[in-house]
Amino acid sequence: MSQLPASAQGASWWRTLRGFQGRNLWFAAFVAPFVLGLLVFVYIPIAWSAYLSFFDARNTINPTRFVGLQNYRYLLTDPLFQNSLLVFIAFAGFIVPLTYVCSLGLALLLNGLTWGQAFFRSAFFIPTACSYVIAAMIWRLSFFNGARFSLANQLVRGAGGDNVNWLGGTNYWYWLVLVSLRLWLQVGFYMILLIAGLNRIPTDTYEAAALDGATGWRTLRYITLPQLRASTVAVLMLLLIGAFQAFDEFYNLLGSISGYPPYARPPLVHLYLISLGGQQQDLGLGGAGTMIVTALIVFFGLTQNWLVTRADRRAG
Amino acid sequence: MSRAGLKSSRAGLLVRYIVLVVLSVFFLLPFWIMIRNAFSDRAWITAAQWHWLPNQVNGRTLRSLFADDNLAMARTMVNSGIQSVGQTVLTVFVALLAGYAFARFNHRVARALLGLTLFTLMVPAAVTFVPSFVMTSQLGWIDSFRGLIIPTLFSAFATYLFRQHFLGFPQELEDAALIDGANQWTSFWRVVVPNSMGIIGAVGTITFIGAWNAFLWPLLVTREDTRTVQVTLSRFMTSQGVKYPELFAGALVATMPVVVVFLFLQRYLVKGVESSGID
């Protein structure tokens, strides 16, 4: 419709530009605010940071000293940065499958419930309204405090153990704290997405399967999961992107007045600490870090997508 | 697991309800801990013996929370309110227009711009906080509501959700309005928007919750004048000599608005997710 050929004689460039009944102008008017915003606050900053990444840009945004790939080389050989990538991989490795399985479990538990469904759905969904800052406060100070008064230590002592320093970095228990917090906060949202997916599966598919004698696990394996494929791909992608962005709960669980510890630093926290959060602002390093992190998230996203698609085709 | 499979056994249903009740207790527990701490004194919270119930159920902690000038709790709540309402209204407005255009136009320019939008779904604002911060400080917007709101309001996610919704919106309704002499703008506001309140409510709720709970961006751009409640609580938590009751009373106060919004608008959220089909 919008691409009527402008071959009619006398059709000026203006008429072409306006389009049929001015449709091109309407298109421009509708998208302009969004596209301009995207350009000014997403694309230009990314380009700028690509530019800064080749300069020594400490405490300045108009750097003069070109350093080539030095910022990149510094970051890629920095043990703390390498470690932050490992932290991301470990965190995503825990949280992505765990959240998917738990949210699917909750969705299946609620599916087809005749009594109390709205209440239980709200109970699982409402943590979404809590901020990571406040959740971190509850986890850090009441659930998993290293001191004797935390709920976790109360339980550990009840079982005959000694108080555990959950977040102190002398052991790996901080993973339990980090993963349980995010799981609690986000699982309800993905449950809603999967409930929507389950509701789209036609009931007669189940009836047909039941007639063929399929029950329980076999129904799940051969009917539910394949039919949920589209939702699954979307949920896994959103979870991965979310895990990559992790900042709030790490910062608030582990940061203190004396700074952030060297362990459990995900990429964004490390980027924050080296570029903006420290004594001086190193925007060249921050720019290089942004480039690397952006490339990685695109890479991880595409890889996961490829793996899911391939597994799906095999299951075919 | 299916409807057909579980209809059969009553015992299965009973087990299912027991599991659901136990899980709901776990999910609601953190909220209860927040309330318990907000209405207990310090000694009670830090006692070696864990207490499930509060011991100081009165307004004393809340009064001392709001009386603390250092914390400026009332001020910080107002800041968060301005930020979240402003961001919600503007995000919905901008994304609604763009999402509509992306659903109705499919020429080369539209496809290219949609591609640019979808790419930023994968690279969300948080990942590019360093350059966004540089941009914002260049504009002189540090510690202003402009700096807090504008750089984060161009949401590819919201635009995408609206586009998906409008793809399924019957175009006949708009055509009828156009035939009656309305132009695109009036038909959009008179016909399309009033019939899309569900998805607008859903995107609005998601945006509001995200804005109210945002931490990284406010941490970077706010100072004394515009500090939001999440940043205030985070600073309070890591300051020396944590005041447990006040801290959790602050958390309770900060969680209230968003829980209320959530409970009232939850059905829009669920409906919106169902109809937009994120998949």
Side-chain angles (χ1 to χ4, degrees), chain B residues 173-240:
Chain B
L173 283 178
E174 299 157 46
D175 291 342
L178 290 179
I179 288 166
D180 287 346
N183 60 26
Q184 298 264 345
W185 186 253
T186 30
S187 97
F188 179 71
W189 289 108
R190 296 268 171 81
V191 178
V192 178
V193 171
N195 285 298
S196 305
M197 289 322 279
I199 185 76
I200 291 174
V203 174
T205 312
I206 294 178
T207 312
F208 181 84
I209 293 174
W212 182 275
N213 289 340
F215 177 66
L216 174 54
W217 188 247
L219 175 72
L220 294 172
V221 298
T222 63
R223 306 285 181 265
E224 298 304 322
D225 286 347
T226 53
R227 191 165 284 142
T228 64
V229 70
Q230 308 296 340
V231 179
T232 299
L233 288 174
S234 170
R235 288 162 56 94
F236 192 23
M237 174 165 49
T238 49
S239 64
Q240 248 151 359

Coordinates of all heavy atoms in Angstrom, one line a residue, chain B residues 173-240:
Chain B
L173 N -11.4 -1.7 11.6 CA -11.9 -0.6 12.5 C -11.3 0.8 12.1 O -12.0 1.8 12.0 CB -11.5 -0.9 14.0 CG -12.4 -1.9 14.7 CD1 -11.9 -2.1 16.1 CD2 -13.8 -1.5 14.7
E174 N -10.0 0.7 11.8 CA -9.3 2.0 11.4 C -9.8 2.4 10.1 O -10.0 3.6 9.8 CB -7.8 1.8 11.4 CG -7.2 1.4 12.7 CD -5.9 0.7 12.5 OE1 -5.1 1.1 11.7 OE2 -5.7 -0.4 13.2
D175 N -9.9 1.4 9.1 CA -10.4 1.8 7.8 C -11.7 2.5 7.8 O -12.0 3.5 7.1 CB -10.4 0.5 6.9 CG -9.0 0.0 6.7 OD1 -8.1 0.8 6.8 OD2 -8.9 -1.2 6.3
A176 N -12.6 1.9 8.7 CA -13.9 2.5 8.8 C -13.8 4.0 9.2 O -14.5 4.9 8.7 CB -14.8 1.7 9.8
A177 N -13.0 4.2 10.2 CA -12.8 5.6 10.7 C -12.2 6.5 9.6 O -12.6 7.7 9.4 CB -11.9 5.6 11.9
L178 N -11.3 5.9 8.8 CA -10.7 6.7 7.7 C -11.7 7.1 6.7 O -11.7 8.2 6.1 CB -9.5 6.0 7.1 CG -8.3 5.8 8.0 CD1 -7.2 5.0 7.3 CD2 -7.7 7.2 8.4
I179 N -12.6 6.1 6.4 CA -13.6 6.4 5.4 C -14.6 7.5 5.9 O -15.0 8.3 5.1 CB -14.4 5.1 5.1 CG1 -13.5 4.1 4.3 CG2 -15.7 5.3 4.3 CD1 -14.0 2.7 4.2
D180 N -14.8 7.5 7.2 CA -15.6 8.5 7.7 C -14.9 9.9 7.8 O -15.5 10.8 8.3 CB -16.1 8.1 9.2 CG -17.1 7.0 9.1 OD1 -17.6 6.8 8.0 OD2 -17.4 6.4 10.2
G181 N -13.7 10.0 7.3 CA -13.1 11.3 7.1 C -12.1 11.6 8.2 O -11.5 12.7 8.2
A182 N -11.8 10.6 9.1 CA -10.8 10.9 10.1 C -9.4 10.7 9.4 O -9.3 10.0 8.5 CB -10.9 9.9 11.2
N183 N -8.4 11.4 9.9 CA -7.0 11.1 9.4 C -6.4 10.1 10.4 O -6.9 9.7 11.3 CB -6.2 12.4 9.3 CG -6.0 13.1 10.6 OD1 -6.1 12.5 11.7 ND2 -5.8 14.5 10.6
Q184 N -5.1 9.7 10.0 CA -4.5 8.7 10.8 C -4.4 9.0 12.3 O -4.6 8.2 13.1 CB -3.0 8.5 10.2 CG -2.9 8.1 8.8 CD -2.8 6.6 8.7 OE1 -2.4 5.9 9.6 NE2 -3.0 6.1 7.5
W185 N -4.1 10.3 12.5 CA -3.9 10.7 13.9 C -5.2 10.6 14.7 O -5.2 10.0 15.8 CB -3.4 12.2 13.9 CG -3.0 12.7 15.2 CD1 -3.7 13.6 16.0 CD2 -1.8 12.4 16.0 NE1 -3.0 13.9 17.1 CE2 -1.9 13.2 17.1 CE3 -0.7 11.6 15.7 CZ2 -0.9 13.1 18.1 CZ3 0.3 11.5 16.7 CH2 0.2 12.3 17.9
T186 N -6.3 11.1 14.2 CA -7.5 11.0 14.9 C -8.0 9.6 15.0 O -8.5 9.1 16.0 CB -8.7 11.9 14.3 OG1 -8.4 12.0 12.9 CG2 -8.7 13.2 14.9
S187 N -7.8 8.8 13.9 CA -8.3 7.4 14.0 C -7.5 6.7 15.0 O -8.0 5.8 15.8 CB -8.2 6.7 12.6 OG -7.1 6.0 12.5
F188 N -6.2 7.0 15.2 CA -5.3 6.4 16.2 C -5.8 6.7 17.6 O -6.0 5.7 18.4 CB -3.9 6.9 16.0 CG -2.9 6.3 17.0 CD1 -2.6 4.9 16.9 CD2 -2.4 7.0 18.0 CE1 -1.7 4.4 17.8 CE2 -1.5 6.5 18.9 CZ -1.2 5.1 18.8
W189 N -6.1 7.9 17.8 CA -6.5 8.3 19.2 C -7.9 7.9 19.5 O -8.3 7.7 20.7 CB -6.2 9.7 19.5 CG -4.8 10.0 19.6 CD1 -4.0 10.7 18.7 CD2 -3.9 9.6 20.6 NE1 -2.7 10.7 19.1 CE2 -2.6 10.1 20.3 CE3 -4.0 8.9 21.8 CZ2 -1.5 9.8 21.1 CZ3 -2.9 8.7 22.6 CH2 -1.7 9.1 22.2
R190 N -8.8 8.0 18.5 CA -10.2 7.7 18.8 C -10.6 6.3 18.7 O -11.5 5.8 19.3 CB -11.1 8.5 17.8 CG -11.0 10.0 17.9 CD -12.0 10.6 18.8 NE -11.8 12.0 19.1 CZ -12.1 13.0 18.3 NH1 -12.7 12.7 17.1 NH2 -11.8 14.2 18.6
V191 N -9.9 5.5 17.8 CA -10.3 4.1 17.6 C -9.3 3.1 18.2 O -9.6 2.2 18.9 CB -10.5 3.9 16.1 CG1 -10.9 2.4 15.9 CG2 -11.6 4.8 15.5
V192 N -8.0 3.4 17.8 CA -7.0 2.4 18.2 C -6.7 2.4 19.7 O -6.8 1.3 20.3 CB -5.7 2.6 17.3 CG1 -4.7 1.6 17.7 CG2 -6.0 2.5 15.9
V193 N -6.4 3.5 20.2 CA -6.0 3.6 21.6 C -7.1 3.2 22.6 O -6.8 2.4 23.5 CB -5.5 5.0 21.9 CG1 -5.3 5.2 23.4 CG2 -4.2 5.3 21.2
P194 N -8.3 3.6 22.4 CA -9.4 3.2 23.3 C -9.6 1.7 23.3 O -10.0 1.1 24.3 CB -10.6 3.9 22.9 CG -10.1 5.1 22.1 CD -8.9 4.7 21.5
N195 N -9.3 1.0 22.2 CA -9.4 -0.4 22.1 C -8.2 -1.2 22.5 O -8.1 -2.4 22.3 CB -9.9 -0.8 20.7 CG -11.3 -0.5 20.5 OD1 -12.2 -1.0 21.2 ND2 -11.6 0.4 19.5
S196 N -7.2 -0.4 23.0 CA -5.9 -1.1 23.4 C -5.6 -0.9 24.8 O -4.4 -0.9 25.2 CB -4.8 -0.6 22.5 OG -5.1 -0.8 21.1
M197 N -6.6 -0.5 25.7 CA -6.2 -0.2 27.0 C -5.6 -1.3 27.8 O -4.8 -1.1 28.7 CB -7.5 0.3 27.8 CG -8.0 1.7 27.3 SD -6.7 2.9 26.9 CE -6.3 3.5 28.5
G198 N -6.0 -2.5 27.5 CA -5.4 -3.7 28.1 C -3.9 -3.7 28.0 O -3.1 -3.8 29.0
I199 N -3.4 -3.6 26.8 CA -1.9 -3.7 26.6 C -1.2 -2.5 27.1 O -0.1 -2.5 27.6 CB -1.6 -4.0 25.1 CG1 -0.1 -4.2 24.9 CG2 -2.1 -2.9 24.2 CD1 0.4 -5.5 25.3
I200 N -1.9 -1.3 27.0 CA -1.4 -0.1 27.6 C -1.2 -0.2 29.1 O -0.2 0.1 29.7 CB -2.2 1.1 27.2 CG1 -2.2 1.4 25.7 CG2 -1.8 2.4 28.0 CD1 -3.1 2.5 25.2
G201 N -2.2 -0.8 29.7 CA -2.1 -1.1 31.2 C -1.0 -2.0 31.5 O -0.2 -1.8 32.4
A202 N -0.8 -3.0 30.7 CA 0.3 -4.0 30.9 C 1.6 -3.4 30.8 O 2.5 -3.5 31.7 CB 0.1 -5.2 29.9
V203 N 1.9 -2.7 29.7 CA 3.2 -2.0 29.4 C 3.4 -1.0 30.5 O 4.5 -0.8 31.0 CB 3.3 -1.5 28.0 CG1 4.6 -0.7 27.8 CG2 3.2 -2.6 27.0
G204 N 2.3 -0.2 30.8 CA 2.5 0.8 31.9 C 2.9 0.2 33.2 O 3.8 0.8 33.9
T205 N 2.3 -0.9 33.6 CA 2.6 -1.5 34.9 C 4.0 -2.0 34.9 O 4.8 -1.8 35.8 CB 1.7 -2.7 35.1 OG1 0.3 -2.3 34.9 CG2 1.8 -3.2 36.6
I206 N 4.4 -2.7 33.8 CA 5.8 -3.2 33.7 C 6.8 -2.0 33.8 O 7.8 -2.1 34.5 CB 6.1 -4.0 32.4 CG1 5.2 -5.3 32.4 CG2 7.5 -4.3 32.2 CD1 5.4 -6.1 31.1
T207 N 6.5 -0.9 33.1 CA 7.4 0.2 33.1 C 7.5 0.9 34.4 O 8.6 1.2 34.9 CB 7.0 1.2 32.0 OG1 6.7 0.6 30.8 CG2 8.0 2.3 31.8
F208 N 6.3 1.0 35.1 CA 6.3 1.7 36.4 C 7.1 0.9 37.4 O 7.9 1.4 38.1 CB 4.8 1.8 36.9 CG 4.8 2.5 38.2 CD1 4.8 3.9 38.3 CD2 4.7 1.8 39.4 CE1 4.7 4.5 39.5 CE2 4.7 2.4 40.6 CZ 4.6 3.8 40.7
I209 N 6.9 -0.4 37.4 CA 7.6 -1.3 38.4 C 9.1 -1.2 38.1 O 9.9 -1.0 39.0 CB 7.1 -2.7 38.3 CG1 5.7 -2.8 38.8 CG2 8.0 -3.6 39.2 CD1 5.1 -4.2 38.7
G210 N 9.5 -1.3 36.8 CA 10.9 -1.2 36.5 C 11.5 0.1 36.9 O 12.6 0.2 37.4
A211 N 10.7 1.2 36.6 CA 11.3 2.5 36.9 C 11.4 2.7 38.4 O 12.4 3.3 38.9 CB 10.4 3.6 36.3
W212 N 10.4 2.4 39.2 CA 10.4 2.6 40.6 C 11.6 1.7 41.2 O 12.2 2.2 42.2 CB 9.1 2.2 41.2 CG 9.1 2.4 42.7 CD1 9.5 1.5 43.7 CD2 8.6 3.5 43.4 NE1 9.3 2.1 44.9 CE2 8.7 3.3 44.8 CE3 8.0 4.7 43.0 CZ2 8.4 4.2 45.8 CZ3 7.6 5.7 44.0 CH2 7.8 5.4 45.3
N213 N 11.8 0.6 40.7 CA 12.8 -0.3 41.3 C 14.2 -0.2 40.7 O 15.1 -0.8 41.1 CB 12.4 -1.8 41.1 CG 11.2 -2.1 42.0 OD1 11.0 -1.4 43.0 ND2 10.5 -3.2 41.7
A214 N 14.3 0.7 39.7 CA 15.6 0.9 39.0 C 16.7 1.3 40.0 O 16.5 2.1 40.9 CB 15.5 1.9 37.9
F215 N 17.9 0.8 39.8 CA 19.0 1.1 40.7 C 20.2 1.6 40.0 O 20.8 2.7 40.4 CB 19.3 -0.1 41.5 CG 20.5 0.1 42.5 CD1 20.4 1.0 43.5 CD2 21.7 -0.6 42.3 CE1 21.4 1.2 44.4 CE2 22.8 -0.4 43.1 CZ 22.6 0.5 44.2
L216 N 20.7 0.9 39.0 CA 22.0 1.3 38.4 C 22.0 2.7 37.8 O 22.9 3.5 38.1 CB 22.4 0.2 37.3 CG 23.6 0.5 36.5 CD1 24.9 0.8 37.3 CD2 23.9 -0.6 35.5
W217 N 21.0 3.0 37.0 CA 21.0 4.3 36.4 C 20.8 5.5 37.4 O 21.6 6.4 37.4 CB 19.9 4.4 35.3 CG 20.0 5.7 34.5 CD1 19.1 6.7 34.5 CD2 21.1 6.1 33.6 NE1 19.5 7.7 33.6 CE2 20.7 7.4 33.1 CE3 22.3 5.5 33.2 CZ2 21.5 8.1 32.2 CZ3 23.1 6.2 32.4 CH2 22.7 7.5 31.9
P218 N 19.9 5.3 38.3 CA 19.8 6.4 39.4 C 21.1 6.5 40.2 O 21.5 7.6 40.6 CB 18.6 5.9 40.2 CG 17.8 5.1 39.3 CD 18.7 4.4 38.4
L219 N 21.7 5.3 40.4 CA 23.0 5.4 41.2 C 24.0 6.2 40.5 O 24.8 6.9 41.1 CB 23.5 3.9 41.3 CG 24.9 3.7 42.0 CD1 24.8 4.0 43.5 CD2 25.4 2.3 41.7
L220 N 24.0 6.2 39.1 CA 25.0 6.9 38.4 C 24.7 8.4 38.3 O 25.6 9.2 38.4 CB 25.1 6.3 36.9 CG 25.7 4.9 36.8 CD1 25.5 4.5 35.4 CD2 27.1 4.9 37.2
V221 N 23.4 8.7 38.0 CA 23.1 10.1 37.6 C 22.5 11.0 38.8 O 22.4 12.2 38.6 CB 22.2 10.2 36.4 CG1 22.9 9.6 35.2 CG2 20.8 9.6 36.7
T222 N 22.1 10.4 39.9 CA 21.5 11.2 40.9 C 22.5 11.6 41.9 O 23.4 10.8 42.3 CB 20.3 10.5 41.6 OG1 20.8 9.3 42.3 CG2 19.2 10.1 40.6
R223 N 22.3 12.8 42.5 CA 23.1 13.3 43.6 C 22.1 13.7 44.7 O 21.1 13.1 44.8 CB 24.0 14.4 43.2 CG 24.9 14.1 42.0 CD 26.1 13.2 42.4 NE 26.9 13.0 41.2 CZ 26.8 11.9 40.4 NH1 25.9 11.0 40.6 NH2 27.6 11.8 39.4
E224 N 22.4 14.8 45.4 CA 21.5 15.2 46.5 C 20.1 15.6 46.0 O 19.1 15.2 46.7 CB 22.1 16.5 47.2 CG 23.4 16.2 47.8 CD 23.4 15.1 48.8 OE1 22.4 15.0 49.5 OE2 24.4 14.3 48.8
D225 N 19.9 16.2 44.8 CA 18.6 16.7 44.5 C 17.6 15.7 44.0 O 16.4 15.9 44.2 CB 18.8 17.8 43.4 CG 19.4 19.1 43.9 OD1 19.4 19.2 45.2 OD2 19.8 19.9 43.1
T226 N 18.0 14.7 43.3 CA 17.1 13.8 42.7 C 17.2 12.3 43.2 O 16.6 11.4 42.6 CB 17.3 13.8 41.2 OG1 18.6 13.5 40.9 CG2 16.9 15.1 40.6
R227 N 18.0 12.1 44.3 CA 18.2 10.7 44.7 C 16.9 10.0 44.9 O 15.9 10.5 45.5 CB 19.0 10.8 46.0 CG 19.5 9.4 46.4 CD 20.6 9.6 47.5 NE 21.8 10.1 46.9 CZ 22.6 10.9 47.5 NH1 22.3 11.4 48.7 NH2 23.8 11.3 47.0
T228 N 16.9 8.8 44.3 CA 15.6 8.0 44.4 C 15.7 7.0 45.6 O 16.7 6.9 46.2 CB 15.4 7.1 43.1 OG1 16.5 6.1 43.1 CG2 15.4 7.9 41.9
V229 N 14.5 6.5 45.9 CA 14.4 5.7 47.2 C 15.3 4.5 47.2 O 15.9 4.1 48.2 CB 12.9 5.4 47.5 CG1 12.4 4.4 46.5 CG2 12.7 5.0 48.9
Q230 N 15.5 3.8 46.0 CA 16.3 2.6 46.0 C 17.8 3.0 46.3 O 18.5 2.3 47.0 CB 16.3 1.9 44.6 CG 14.9 1.6 44.1 CD 14.2 0.6 45.0 OE1 14.8 -0.1 45.8 NE2 12.8 0.6 44.9
V231 N 18.3 4.1 45.7 CA 19.6 4.5 46.0 C 19.8 4.9 47.4 O 20.8 4.6 48.1 CB 20.0 5.7 45.0 CG1 21.4 6.2 45.3 CG2 19.9 5.3 43.6
T232 N 18.8 5.6 48.0 CA 18.9 6.0 49.4 C 18.9 4.8 50.3 O 19.8 4.8 51.2 CB 17.6 6.8 49.7 OG1 17.6 8.0 48.9 CG2 17.6 7.2 51.2
L233 N 18.1 3.8 50.0 CA 18.1 2.6 50.9 C 19.4 1.9 50.7 O 20.0 1.3 51.7 CB 16.9 1.7 50.5 CG 15.6 2.2 50.9 CD1 14.5 1.3 50.4 CD2 15.5 2.3 52.4
S234 N 20.0 1.8 49.5 CA 21.2 1.1 49.3 C 22.4 1.8 50.1 O 23.2 1.1 50.7 CB 21.5 1.1 47.8 OG 22.9 0.6 47.6
R235 N 22.4 3.1 50.1 CA 23.4 3.9 50.8 C 23.2 3.6 52.3 O 24.2 3.5 53.1 CB 23.3 5.3 50.5 CG 23.8 5.7 49.1 CD 23.3 7.1 48.7 NE 23.7 8.1 49.6 CZ 24.7 8.9 49.5 NH1 25.6 8.7 48.5 NH2 25.0 9.8 50.4
F236 N 22.0 3.7 52.7 CA 21.6 3.5 54.2 C 22.1 2.1 54.6 O 22.7 1.9 55.7 CB 20.1 3.6 54.3 CG 19.6 3.7 55.7 CD1 20.4 4.2 56.7 CD2 18.3 3.4 56.0 CE1 20.0 4.3 58.0 CE2 17.8 3.5 57.3 CZ 18.6 4.0 58.3
M237 N 21.9 1.1 53.7 CA 22.3 -0.3 54.1 C 23.8 -0.4 54.3 O 24.2 -1.2 55.1 CB 21.8 -1.2 53.0 CG 22.2 -2.7 53.2 SD 21.3 -3.9 52.3 CE 21.3 -3.2 50.6
T238 N 24.6 0.2 53.4 CA 26.0 0.0 53.5 C 26.7 1.1 54.4 O 27.9 1.1 54.5 CB 26.6 0.1 52.1 OG1 26.2 1.2 51.4 CG2 26.3 -1.2 51.3
S239 N 25.9 2.0 55.0 CA 26.6 3.0 55.8 C 27.0 2.3 57.1 O 26.6 1.2 57.4 CB 25.6 4.1 56.1 OG 24.5 3.6 56.8
Q240 N 27.8 3.0 57.9 CA 28.3 2.4 59.1 C 27.2 2.3 60.2 O 26.3 3.2 60.3 CB 29.4 3.2 59.7 CG 30.7 2.4 59.6 CD 31.9 3.3 59.4 OE1 31.8 4.5 59.4 NE2 33.1 2.7 59.4

